[in-house]
Amino acid sequence: MKTSIFSCSERGSLKQAAKLLVQGNLVAFPTETVYGLGANALDPEAVMKIFQVKKRPQDNPLIVHIAKEEQIQELVTYISEKSKILMKTFWPGPLTIIFEKKEVVPAIVSANLPYVALRMPSHPCALALLREANVPIVAPSANLSGRPSPTKAEHVREDLRGKISCILDGGQVPIGIESTVIDMTTEPPTLLRPGKITKEEIEKSIGSITTKTTKLEEYKSPGMKYKHYSPKAKVILFKEEKDIRELLAKKQKESPLVLVYSNAEEMAHSLFADFRSADAKGHKIIFVQEIEEKGFGEAVMNRLRKAAAKK
Ligand code: TXA
Ligand code: MG
């Protein structure tokens, strides 16, 4: 299959990409978090292609992206007052909210669960594409399953060229890690995945939430059990440079790379791209200096720890 690469700013390219989506094809597009791999959420055959192309396990549900609040009523049974506040405060933006789903949402989207995850992204290219397509769009990160999420169109090309119809190139994404996911079907609500929108920010708007997942939530968000974000190289975390001096000297044969970031924003922005380029350059070990696990730092360190977890 030929993969067309369009620029988000080219006139007519959004129209063409939207048409491809409506016709049941896969289109990758930038969001403010990471690049997504889109398909028409109401077309189970199109959604199935996502699982095949990404090699994604089918028990891992997908996020449905929308551009207008009117689209929500069609997809979910009930919107609580707290959910309304979250939507008003954080949408469009990097927050994914889990609701009870209506029948119209295909089982393959929600991995047979009675729930659906919704997000209204704020990236102008994503919003324009969603408006033009005028159907809800499922979009997992546009990488092969298990690889670091794509933060540039080039990363999508690396993983998916020849397997999808189109890539919309909008340059480097602004945030660099995936959206915050909150489950509003539990009381108190459960934070399932940390992201740019922090627990503290959410609690300021709707009161206390929990990060403790019970067996039930683990059943509800099977995606949590999968390993994510990992480069091929081994990732080792460190606090101070003196802690790794000896190890670094010992591991010279493995062409170690040392990554140091000055804050959470910078780390989020570059981490996944740096993992990919380390693999391309043949580094076998990557040492990454930890950052403070406060505010946005908590979410970025969450991704880094997953990447460093034993394979
Ligand atoms: O920033 C993002 O969220 C990006 C962009 C493209 O929007 N998308 C993304 O999708 O990261 P993905 O598929 O890589 O991650 C979706 C996460 C998974 O951990 C999945 O298990 C969880 O959301 N999820 C999706 N639907 C769910 C549901 N109905 N119940 C519980 N968890 C769900
Ligand atoms: Mg992903």
Side-chain angles (χ1 to χ4, degrees), residues 54 141 143 149:
K54 276 184 59 97
S141 48
N143 51 284
S149 292

Side-chain angles (χ1 to χ4, degrees), residues 275-307:
F275 280 171
R276 281 176 181 266
S277 87
D279 280 344
K281 289 181 186 146
H283 296 285
K284 297 285 180 278
I285 300 190
I286 310 171
F287 290 93
V288 191
Q289 186 172 41
E290 294 178 18
I291 56 163
E292 205 187 351
E293 278 171 272
K294 254 172 101 181
F296 185 37
E298 210 179 311
V300 191
M301 280 301 296
N302 162 275
R303 305 307 193 273
L304 181 59
R305 286 195 194 289
K306 287 194 180 208

